[in-house]
Amino acid sequence: MCFSFPLGTLDNKCNVQKNSTFMASNGCISSTPVEITSCSGFCETSSIYSAEANALVHSCSCCQEMTTTKKEATLTCPDGSNISHTYIYIESCGCKASDCSGQSTSLRRRRRRL
């Protein structure tokens, strides 16, 4: 699900967030923290009445990766050996159009069950 606020109301626009953490895979771990990335922030969503369609027209977008690269980290295993681990690194993020036609229906269903 995407959350949205009118453009210009928040400074949290969709962009790359960086975090350093120890990377682990198959019992092996990096000896130093590795920079990993994620996309975070707000994108525009709207519902506008269309006289031509005599219905509400929905427009949704989600903060997602736009460009990525593959990077490698060296991980040290319990037996002292090293392995190379390839991971995806986000270079840029942006607002990508998404289908929001079913979101209000699923929200209504969830509320009824509560």
Side-chain angles (χ1 to χ4, degrees):
M1 177 186 293
C2 299
F3 295 95
S4 175
F5 296 87
L7 292 178
T9 60
L10 295 172
D11 290 331
N12 283 348
K13 293 179 183 172
C14 178
N15 59 37
V16 176
Q17 303 294 313
K18 295 179 180 180
N19 185 29
S20 290
T21 187
F22 288 92
M23 188 168 287
S25 178
N26 297 325
C28 306
I29 190 166
S30 61
S31 58
T32 59
V34 175
E35 185 176 77
I36 59 168
T37 51
S38 62
C39 291
S40 182
F42 300 103
C43 295
E44 187 173 9
T45 300
S46 65
S47 292
I48 301 171
Y49 174 74
S50 166
E52 185 177 314
N54 193 24
L56 293 174
V57 176
H58 302 100
S59 172
C60 299
S61 61
C62 288
C63 183
Q64 296 179 7
E65 70 281 358
M66 300 300 273
T67 57
T68 61
T69 56
K70 289 190 177 182
K71 291 198 172 193
E72 288 189 6
T74 300
L75 309 183
T76 303
C77 301
D79 66 3
S81 64
N82 290 326
I83 62 167
S84 181
H85 179 76
T86 303
Y87 65 100
I88 298 170
Y89 185 89
I90 300 170
E91 298 287 345
S92 67
C93 299
C95 295
K96 284 187 181 177
S98 65
D99 179 18
C100 55
S101 60
Q103 287 183 0
S104 61
T105 304
S106 63
L107 287 174
R108 271 189 256 128
R109 284 185 195 140
R110 273 191 234 140
R111 287 187 185 128
R112 281 187 209 146
R113 288 183 202 157
L114 295 177

Short mmCIF file of all heavy atoms in Angstrom, two decimals, residues 11-78:
data_model
loop_
_atom_site.label_atom_id
_atom_site.label_comp_id
_atom_site.label_asym_id
_atom_site.label_seq_id
_atom_site.Cartn_x
_atom_site.Cartn_y
_atom_site.Cartn_z
N ASP A 11 8.46 17.47 3.37
CA ASP A 11 9.80 17.46 2.79
C ASP A 11 10.28 16.04 2.54
O ASP A 11 11.35 15.84 2.01
CB ASP A 11 10.78 18.19 3.72
CG ASP A 11 10.52 19.68 3.76
OD1 ASP A 11 10.04 20.21 2.74
OD2 ASP A 11 10.81 20.31 4.79
N ASN A 12 9.50 15.04 2.93
CA ASN A 12 9.89 13.64 2.78
C ASN A 12 9.54 13.11 1.39
O ASN A 12 8.79 12.16 1.25
CB ASN A 12 9.20 12.78 3.83
CG ASN A 12 9.85 12.90 5.18
OD1 ASN A 12 10.92 13.44 5.31
ND2 ASN A 12 9.18 12.40 6.19
N LYS A 13 10.10 13.71 0.37
CA LYS A 13 9.86 13.21 -0.99
C LYS A 13 10.62 11.91 -1.17
O LYS A 13 11.59 11.64 -0.49
CB LYS A 13 10.32 14.26 -2.01
CG LYS A 13 9.48 15.51 -1.98
CD LYS A 13 9.96 16.53 -2.98
CE LYS A 13 9.14 17.79 -2.87
NZ LYS A 13 9.68 18.87 -3.69
N CYS A 14 10.15 11.12 -2.11
CA CYS A 14 10.73 9.81 -2.39
C CYS A 14 12.22 9.93 -2.72
O CYS A 14 12.60 10.65 -3.65
CB CYS A 14 9.97 9.19 -3.56
SG CYS A 14 10.59 7.59 -4.08
N ASN A 15 13.07 9.25 -1.95
CA ASN A 15 14.50 9.26 -2.24
C ASN A 15 15.20 8.07 -1.60
O ASN A 15 14.60 7.30 -0.87
CB ASN A 15 15.14 10.59 -1.82
CG ASN A 15 14.96 10.88 -0.35
OD1 ASN A 15 15.01 9.98 0.47
ND2 ASN A 15 14.75 12.13 0.00
N VAL A 16 16.49 7.93 -1.89
CA VAL A 16 17.29 6.82 -1.39
C VAL A 16 17.66 7.07 0.07
O VAL A 16 18.09 8.16 0.43
CB VAL A 16 18.59 6.66 -2.23
CG1 VAL A 16 19.48 5.56 -1.66
CG2 VAL A 16 18.25 6.38 -3.68
N GLN A 17 17.46 6.05 0.88
CA GLN A 17 17.90 6.06 2.27
C GLN A 17 19.08 5.10 2.39
O GLN A 17 19.02 3.99 1.86
CB GLN A 17 16.76 5.60 3.20
CG GLN A 17 15.50 6.41 3.08
CD GLN A 17 15.68 7.84 3.54
OE1 GLN A 17 16.24 8.09 4.60
NE2 GLN A 17 15.22 8.77 2.73
N LYS A 18 20.12 5.52 3.08
CA LYS A 18 21.31 4.67 3.24
C LYS A 18 21.45 4.24 4.69
O LYS A 18 21.17 5.00 5.61
CB LYS A 18 22.56 5.43 2.79
CG LYS A 18 22.54 5.76 1.31
CD LYS A 18 23.76 6.53 0.87
CE LYS A 18 23.68 6.82 -0.62
NZ LYS A 18 24.85 7.56 -1.09
N ASN A 19 21.90 3.00 4.86
CA ASN A 19 22.08 2.44 6.19
C ASN A 19 23.28 1.49 6.15
O ASN A 19 23.45 0.76 5.19
CB ASN A 19 20.81 1.68 6.61
CG ASN A 19 20.87 1.19 8.02
OD1 ASN A 19 21.54 1.76 8.87
ND2 ASN A 19 20.19 0.08 8.29
N SER A 20 24.08 1.51 7.19
CA SER A 20 25.21 0.58 7.27
C SER A 20 24.89 -0.53 8.26
O SER A 20 24.43 -0.25 9.37
CB SER A 20 26.48 1.31 7.70
OG SER A 20 26.92 2.16 6.66
N THR A 21 25.12 -1.76 7.85
CA THR A 21 24.85 -2.90 8.70
C THR A 21 25.79 -4.05 8.32
O THR A 21 26.35 -4.05 7.23
CB THR A 21 23.37 -3.35 8.56
OG1 THR A 21 23.10 -4.36 9.52
CG2 THR A 21 23.07 -3.88 7.18
N PHE A 22 25.96 -4.99 9.23
CA PHE A 22 26.74 -6.17 8.90
C PHE A 22 25.87 -7.08 8.05
O PHE A 22 24.73 -7.35 8.38
CB PHE A 22 27.19 -6.89 10.18
CG PHE A 22 28.27 -6.14 10.91
CD1 PHE A 22 27.94 -5.24 11.91
CD2 PHE A 22 29.60 -6.33 10.58
CE1 PHE A 22 28.93 -4.53 12.58
CE2 PHE A 22 30.61 -5.62 11.24
CZ PHE A 22 30.27 -4.72 12.24
N MET A 23 26.41 -7.54 6.94
CA MET A 23 25.67 -8.40 6.03
C MET A 23 25.98 -9.85 6.36
O MET A 23 27.14 -10.20 6.58
CB MET A 23 26.05 -8.09 4.58
CG MET A 23 25.20 -8.81 3.57
SD MET A 23 25.44 -8.17 1.91
CE MET A 23 24.60 -6.61 2.03
N ALA A 24 24.93 -10.68 6.41
CA ALA A 24 25.10 -12.10 6.73
C ALA A 24 24.37 -12.95 5.70
O ALA A 24 23.31 -12.58 5.21
CB ALA A 24 24.58 -12.39 8.12
N SER A 25 24.97 -14.09 5.36
CA SER A 25 24.36 -15.04 4.44
C SER A 25 24.96 -16.41 4.67
O SER A 25 26.19 -16.55 4.74
CB SER A 25 24.59 -14.59 3.00
OG SER A 25 24.04 -15.52 2.09
N ASN A 26 24.11 -17.43 4.82
CA ASN A 26 24.55 -18.82 5.00
C ASN A 26 25.57 -18.99 6.13
O ASN A 26 26.53 -19.73 6.00
CB ASN A 26 25.13 -19.37 3.69
CG ASN A 26 24.10 -19.42 2.59
OD1 ASN A 26 22.93 -19.68 2.85
ND2 ASN A 26 24.52 -19.15 1.38
N GLY A 27 25.36 -18.27 7.25
CA GLY A 27 26.25 -18.39 8.40
C GLY A 27 27.52 -17.57 8.32
O GLY A 27 28.31 -17.56 9.25
N CYS A 28 27.75 -16.89 7.20
CA CYS A 28 28.93 -16.05 7.03
C CYS A 28 28.52 -14.59 7.24
O CYS A 28 27.37 -14.22 6.99
CB CYS A 28 29.51 -16.24 5.63
SG CYS A 28 29.84 -17.98 5.22
N ILE A 29 29.46 -13.75 7.69
CA ILE A 29 29.14 -12.35 7.99
C ILE A 29 30.28 -11.44 7.54
O ILE A 29 31.45 -11.84 7.54
CB ILE A 29 28.85 -12.18 9.50
CG1 ILE A 29 28.29 -10.80 9.80
CG2 ILE A 29 30.08 -12.48 10.34
CD1 ILE A 29 27.67 -10.65 11.17
N SER A 30 29.93 -10.22 7.15
CA SER A 30 30.95 -9.25 6.74
C SER A 30 31.74 -8.81 7.96
O SER A 30 31.20 -8.72 9.07
CB SER A 30 30.30 -8.04 6.05
OG SER A 30 29.41 -7.39 6.94
N SER A 31 33.02 -8.53 7.77
CA SER A 31 33.86 -8.10 8.88
C SER A 31 33.67 -6.62 9.20
O SER A 31 33.99 -6.18 10.30
CB SER A 31 35.33 -8.41 8.60
OG SER A 31 35.73 -7.75 7.42
N THR A 32 33.17 -5.88 8.23
CA THR A 32 32.87 -4.45 8.43
C THR A 32 31.44 -4.18 7.96
O THR A 32 30.90 -4.93 7.13
CB THR A 32 33.85 -3.55 7.64
OG1 THR A 32 33.75 -3.88 6.26
CG2 THR A 32 35.28 -3.73 8.11
N PRO A 33 30.82 -3.10 8.45
CA PRO A 33 29.46 -2.78 7.99
C PRO A 33 29.42 -2.51 6.49
O PRO A 33 30.38 -1.98 5.91
CB PRO A 33 29.10 -1.52 8.78
CG PRO A 33 30.00 -1.54 9.97
CD PRO A 33 31.28 -2.19 9.49
N VAL A 34 28.32 -2.90 5.86
CA VAL A 34 28.11 -2.72 4.43
C VAL A 34 26.98 -1.70 4.25
O VAL A 34 25.98 -1.76 4.97
CB VAL A 34 27.72 -4.06 3.77
CG1 VAL A 34 27.38 -3.88 2.30
CG2 VAL A 34 28.86 -5.07 3.94
N GLU A 35 27.15 -0.78 3.31
CA GLU A 35 26.09 0.20 3.06
C GLU A 35 24.99 -0.44 2.21
O GLU A 35 25.25 -0.91 1.11
CB GLU A 35 26.66 1.43 2.34
CG GLU A 35 25.62 2.53 2.17
CD GLU A 35 26.19 3.78 1.55
OE1 GLU A 35 26.40 3.79 0.32
OE2 GLU A 35 26.43 4.75 2.30
N ILE A 36 23.78 -0.48 2.78
CA ILE A 36 22.62 -0.97 2.03
C ILE A 36 21.66 0.20 1.84
O ILE A 36 21.72 1.20 2.56
CB ILE A 36 21.93 -2.16 2.73
CG1 ILE A 36 21.46 -1.76 4.12
CG2 ILE A 36 22.83 -3.37 2.77
CD1 ILE A 36 20.53 -2.76 4.75
N THR A 37 20.80 0.07 0.86
CA THR A 37 19.91 1.18 0.51
C THR A 37 18.45 0.73 0.46
O THR A 37 18.16 -0.45 0.30
CB THR A 37 20.30 1.76 -0.86
OG1 THR A 37 20.38 0.69 -1.80
CG2 THR A 37 21.64 2.48 -0.80
N SER A 38 17.57 1.69 0.58
CA SER A 38 16.13 1.46 0.44
C SER A 38 15.50 2.74 -0.11
O SER A 38 16.14 3.79 -0.12
CB SER A 38 15.50 1.09 1.79
OG SER A 38 15.65 2.16 2.71
N CYS A 39 14.27 2.63 -0.58
CA CYS A 39 13.52 3.80 -1.04
C CYS A 39 12.50 4.15 0.02
O CYS A 39 11.81 3.26 0.54
CB CYS A 39 12.80 3.50 -2.35
SG CYS A 39 13.91 3.29 -3.75
N SER A 40 12.38 5.43 0.30
CA SER A 40 11.42 5.87 1.29
C SER A 40 10.98 7.30 0.97
O SER A 40 11.77 8.09 0.48
CB SER A 40 12.05 5.81 2.69
OG SER A 40 11.12 6.20 3.66
N GLY A 41 9.72 7.60 1.25
CA GLY A 41 9.21 8.95 1.04
C GLY A 41 7.81 8.91 0.46
O GLY A 41 7.22 7.84 0.29
N PHE A 42 7.29 10.05 0.17
CA PHE A 42 5.91 10.18 -0.25
C PHE A 42 5.78 10.52 -1.72
O PHE A 42 6.58 11.25 -2.28
CB PHE A 42 5.21 11.26 0.59
CG PHE A 42 5.23 10.94 2.05
CD1 PHE A 42 6.11 11.58 2.91
CD2 PHE A 42 4.40 9.97 2.57
CE1 PHE A 42 6.13 11.28 4.25
CE2 PHE A 42 4.42 9.66 3.91
CZ PHE A 42 5.29 10.32 4.77
N CYS A 43 4.73 9.95 -2.32
CA CYS A 43 4.40 10.19 -3.72
C CYS A 43 2.94 10.64 -3.80
O CYS A 43 2.17 10.44 -2.87
CB CYS A 43 4.61 8.92 -4.55
SG CYS A 43 6.33 8.38 -4.62
N GLU A 44 2.57 11.18 -4.95
CA GLU A 44 1.23 11.73 -5.11
C GLU A 44 0.19 10.66 -5.40
O GLU A 44 0.41 9.72 -6.14
CB GLU A 44 1.23 12.75 -6.25
CG GLU A 44 -0.07 13.50 -6.38
CD GLU A 44 0.00 14.62 -7.40
OE1 GLU A 44 0.99 14.72 -8.13
OE2 GLU A 44 -0.96 15.39 -7.46
N THR A 45 -0.98 10.82 -4.78
CA THR A 45 -2.14 9.97 -5.01
C THR A 45 -3.36 10.89 -5.03
O THR A 45 -3.43 11.83 -4.26
CB THR A 45 -2.29 8.92 -3.89
OG1 THR A 45 -1.13 8.11 -3.88
CG2 THR A 45 -3.51 8.05 -4.08
N SER A 46 -4.31 10.59 -5.93
CA SER A 46 -5.49 11.46 -6.00
C SER A 46 -6.71 10.69 -6.48
O SER A 46 -6.61 9.63 -7.09
CB SER A 46 -5.23 12.64 -6.93
OG SER A 46 -5.04 12.17 -8.26
N SER A 47 -7.89 11.24 -6.18
CA SER A 47 -9.16 10.79 -6.70
C SER A 47 -9.88 12.03 -7.21
O SER A 47 -10.11 12.96 -6.45
CB SER A 47 -10.02 10.13 -5.61
OG SER A 47 -9.46 8.93 -5.20
N ILE A 48 -10.21 12.03 -8.50
CA ILE A 48 -10.84 13.20 -9.12
C ILE A 48 -12.07 12.75 -9.89
O ILE A 48 -12.03 11.75 -10.61
CB ILE A 48 -9.85 13.91 -10.07
CG1 ILE A 48 -8.60 14.35 -9.31
CG2 ILE A 48 -10.51 15.10 -10.76
CD1 ILE A 48 -7.49 14.86 -10.19
N TYR A 49 -13.15 13.49 -9.75
CA TYR A 49 -14.38 13.17 -10.48
C TYR A 49 -14.21 13.52 -11.95
O TYR A 49 -13.73 14.59 -12.31
CB TYR A 49 -15.58 13.93 -9.91
CG TYR A 49 -16.83 13.71 -10.73
CD1 TYR A 49 -17.52 12.50 -10.68
CD2 TYR A 49 -17.29 14.69 -11.61
CE1 TYR A 49 -18.64 12.29 -11.45
CE2 TYR A 49 -18.42 14.49 -12.39
CZ TYR A 49 -19.09 13.28 -12.30
OH TYR A 49 -20.19 13.06 -13.08
N SER A 50 -14.61 12.59 -12.83
CA SER A 50 -14.59 12.81 -14.27
C SER A 50 -16.03 12.82 -14.76
O SER A 50 -16.74 11.81 -14.66
CB SER A 50 -13.81 11.68 -14.96
OG SER A 50 -14.06 11.70 -16.35
N ALA A 51 -16.48 13.97 -15.32
CA ALA A 51 -17.83 14.07 -15.87
C ALA A 51 -17.97 13.15 -17.08
O ALA A 51 -19.02 12.53 -17.29
CB ALA A 51 -18.14 15.51 -16.25
N GLU A 52 -16.91 13.05 -17.87
CA GLU A 52 -16.95 12.20 -19.06
C GLU A 52 -17.18 10.73 -18.70
O GLU A 52 -17.97 10.04 -19.33
CB GLU A 52 -15.64 12.35 -19.84
CG GLU A 52 -15.61 11.61 -21.15
CD GLU A 52 -14.32 11.85 -21.90
OE1 GLU A 52 -13.90 13.02 -21.99
OE2 GLU A 52 -13.74 10.87 -22.37
N ALA A 53 -16.50 10.26 -17.66
CA ALA A 53 -16.64 8.87 -17.24
C ALA A 53 -17.77 8.70 -16.22
O ALA A 53 -18.16 7.59 -15.92
CB ALA A 53 -15.33 8.37 -16.64
N ASN A 54 -18.25 9.82 -15.68
CA ASN A 54 -19.24 9.83 -14.61
C ASN A 54 -18.80 8.91 -13.46
O ASN A 54 -19.55 8.09 -12.96
CB ASN A 54 -20.63 9.41 -15.12
CG ASN A 54 -21.70 9.72 -14.08
OD1 ASN A 54 -21.52 10.59 -13.23
ND2 ASN A 54 -22.81 8.98 -14.14
N ALA A 55 -17.53 9.06 -13.11
CA ALA A 55 -16.94 8.24 -12.06
C ALA A 55 -15.72 8.95 -11.50
O ALA A 55 -15.25 9.94 -12.07
CB ALA A 55 -16.54 6.88 -12.61
N LEU A 56 -15.22 8.41 -10.42
CA LEU A 56 -13.97 8.93 -9.86
C LEU A 56 -12.80 8.28 -10.59
O LEU A 56 -12.79 7.08 -10.82
CB LEU A 56 -13.88 8.62 -8.37
CG LEU A 56 -14.89 9.37 -7.50
CD1 LEU A 56 -14.81 8.87 -6.07
CD2 LEU A 56 -14.64 10.86 -7.55
N VAL A 57 -11.84 9.09 -10.96
CA VAL A 57 -10.62 8.62 -11.61
C VAL A 57 -9.52 8.65 -10.57
O VAL A 57 -9.26 9.70 -9.96
CB VAL A 57 -10.27 9.49 -12.83
CG1 VAL A 57 -8.95 9.04 -13.44
CG2 VAL A 57 -11.39 9.47 -13.85
N HIS A 58 -8.88 7.51 -10.36
CA HIS A 58 -7.84 7.40 -9.34
C HIS A 58 -6.46 7.43 -9.96
O HIS A 58 -6.24 6.85 -11.02
CB HIS A 58 -8.02 6.09 -8.55
CG HIS A 58 -9.35 5.99 -7.91
ND1 HIS A 58 -10.37 5.24 -8.45
CD2 HIS A 58 -9.85 6.55 -6.79
CE1 HIS A 58 -11.44 5.34 -7.69
NE2 HIS A 58 -11.15 6.12 -6.67
N SER A 59 -5.55 8.07 -9.29
CA SER A 59 -4.16 8.13 -9.73
C SER A 59 -3.29 7.83 -8.52
O SER A 59 -3.39 8.51 -7.50
CB SER A 59 -3.85 9.52 -10.28
OG SER A 59 -2.48 9.65 -10.54
N CYS A 60 -2.46 6.82 -8.62
CA CYS A 60 -1.60 6.42 -7.50
C CYS A 60 -0.16 6.23 -7.96
O CYS A 60 0.08 5.84 -9.10
CB CYS A 60 -2.07 5.09 -6.92
SG CYS A 60 -3.73 5.11 -6.26
N SER A 61 0.76 6.51 -7.07
CA SER A 61 2.16 6.21 -7.34
C SER A 61 2.83 5.82 -6.04
O SER A 61 2.44 6.26 -4.96
CB SER A 61 2.87 7.40 -7.99
OG SER A 61 2.85 8.52 -7.14
N CYS A 62 3.83 4.96 -6.15
CA CYS A 62 4.57 4.45 -4.99
C CYS A 62 6.05 4.78 -5.12
O CYS A 62 6.59 4.81 -6.22
CB CYS A 62 4.41 2.94 -4.88
SG CYS A 62 2.79 2.41 -4.36
N CYS A 63 6.69 4.99 -4.00
CA CYS A 63 8.13 5.25 -3.95
C CYS A 63 8.85 3.92 -4.15
O CYS A 63 8.76 3.02 -3.32
CB CYS A 63 8.47 5.87 -2.60
SG CYS A 63 10.19 6.32 -2.42
N GLN A 64 9.55 3.80 -5.30
CA GLN A 64 10.23 2.55 -5.63
C GLN A 64 11.58 2.85 -6.29
O GLN A 64 11.84 3.97 -6.72
CB GLN A 64 9.40 1.73 -6.60
CG GLN A 64 8.09 1.25 -6.02
CD GLN A 64 7.29 0.45 -7.04
OE1 GLN A 64 7.75 0.14 -8.11
NE2 GLN A 64 6.06 0.13 -6.68
N GLU A 65 12.39 1.81 -6.40
CA GLU A 65 13.70 1.95 -7.05
C GLU A 65 13.52 2.28 -8.53
O GLU A 65 12.63 1.76 -9.18
CB GLU A 65 14.53 0.68 -6.88
CG GLU A 65 14.06 -0.52 -7.66
CD GLU A 65 12.90 -1.26 -7.06
OE1 GLU A 65 12.42 -0.90 -5.97
OE2 GLU A 65 12.44 -2.23 -7.69
N MET A 66 14.38 3.16 -9.03
CA MET A 66 14.39 3.50 -10.45
C MET A 66 15.62 2.89 -11.13
O MET A 66 15.52 2.33 -12.21
CB MET A 66 14.39 5.02 -10.65
CG MET A 66 13.16 5.71 -10.05
SD MET A 66 11.61 5.15 -10.74
CE MET A 66 11.46 6.21 -12.13
N THR A 67 16.78 2.99 -10.48
CA THR A 67 18.00 2.37 -11.01
C THR A 67 18.71 1.63 -9.88
O THR A 67 18.73 2.08 -8.74
CB THR A 67 18.96 3.42 -11.62
OG1 THR A 67 19.28 4.40 -10.63
CG2 THR A 67 18.34 4.09 -12.83
N THR A 68 19.26 0.47 -10.24
CA THR A 68 20.00 -0.34 -9.27
C THR A 68 21.29 -0.83 -9.90
O THR A 68 21.42 -0.86 -11.13
CB THR A 68 19.18 -1.57 -8.82
OG1 THR A 68 18.90 -2.39 -9.95
CG2 THR A 68 17.87 -1.16 -8.14
N THR A 69 22.22 -1.22 -9.06
CA THR A 69 23.44 -1.88 -9.51
C THR A 69 23.67 -3.08 -8.59
O THR A 69 23.08 -3.16 -7.51
CB THR A 69 24.67 -0.94 -9.45
OG1 THR A 69 24.81 -0.43 -8.12
CG2 THR A 69 24.56 0.20 -10.43
N LYS A 70 24.51 -3.98 -9.03
CA LYS A 70 24.89 -5.10 -8.19
C LYS A 70 26.24 -4.80 -7.57
O LYS A 70 27.15 -4.34 -8.25
CB LYS A 70 24.93 -6.40 -8.99
CG LYS A 70 23.55 -6.87 -9.37
CD LYS A 70 23.56 -8.25 -9.97
CE LYS A 70 22.12 -8.69 -10.25
NZ LYS A 70 22.07 -10.04 -10.79
N LYS A 71 26.35 -5.04 -6.27
CA LYS A 71 27.60 -4.83 -5.56
C LYS A 71 27.99 -6.13 -4.88
O LYS A 71 27.16 -7.03 -4.71
CB LYS A 71 27.46 -3.71 -4.53
CG LYS A 71 27.30 -2.33 -5.15
CD LYS A 71 27.61 -1.26 -4.15
CE LYS A 71 27.64 0.09 -4.86
NZ LYS A 71 28.22 1.12 -4.01
N GLU A 72 29.24 -6.21 -4.48
CA GLU A 72 29.74 -7.41 -3.81
C GLU A 72 30.29 -7.05 -2.44
O GLU A 72 30.89 -6.00 -2.25
CB GLU A 72 30.82 -8.09 -4.64
CG GLU A 72 30.28 -8.76 -5.88
CD GLU A 72 31.31 -9.61 -6.59
OE1 GLU A 72 32.43 -9.77 -6.06
OE2 GLU A 72 31.00 -10.12 -7.67
N ALA A 73 30.07 -7.96 -1.50
CA ALA A 73 30.65 -7.83 -0.16
C ALA A 73 31.36 -9.14 0.16
O ALA A 73 30.89 -10.21 -0.22
CB ALA A 73 29.55 -7.56 0.86
N THR A 74 32.48 -9.04 0.83
CA THR A 74 33.20 -10.23 1.26
C THR A 74 32.71 -10.63 2.64
O THR A 74 32.72 -9.82 3.57
CB THR A 74 34.72 -9.96 1.29
OG1 THR A 74 35.14 -9.59 -0.04
CG2 THR A 74 35.49 -11.19 1.73
N LEU A 75 32.27 -11.87 2.74
CA LEU A 75 31.78 -12.39 4.01
C LEU A 75 32.74 -13.45 4.54
O LEU A 75 33.26 -14.26 3.78
CB LEU A 75 30.39 -13.01 3.83
CG LEU A 75 29.32 -12.17 3.13
CD1 LEU A 75 27.99 -12.92 3.11
CD2 LEU A 75 29.16 -10.82 3.80
N THR A 76 32.97 -13.44 5.84
CA THR A 76 33.85 -14.42 6.48
C THR A 76 32.99 -15.49 7.15
O THR A 76 32.06 -15.17 7.89
CB THR A 76 34.75 -13.74 7.53
OG1 THR A 76 35.50 -12.69 6.88
CG2 THR A 76 35.72 -14.73 8.16
N CYS A 77 33.32 -16.72 6.87
CA CYS A 77 32.56 -17.87 7.38
C CYS A 77 33.18 -18.38 8.67
O CYS A 77 34.36 -18.09 8.97
CB CYS A 77 32.52 -18.97 6.33
SG CYS A 77 31.77 -18.42 4.78
N PRO A 78 32.42 -19.16 9.45
CA PRO A 78 32.94 -19.68 10.73
C PRO A 78 34.23 -20.48 10.61
O PRO A 78 35.05 -20.49 11.52
CB PRO A 78 31.79 -20.58 11.24
CG PRO A 78 30.57 -20.02 10.62
CD PRO A 78 31.01 -19.51 9.26
#
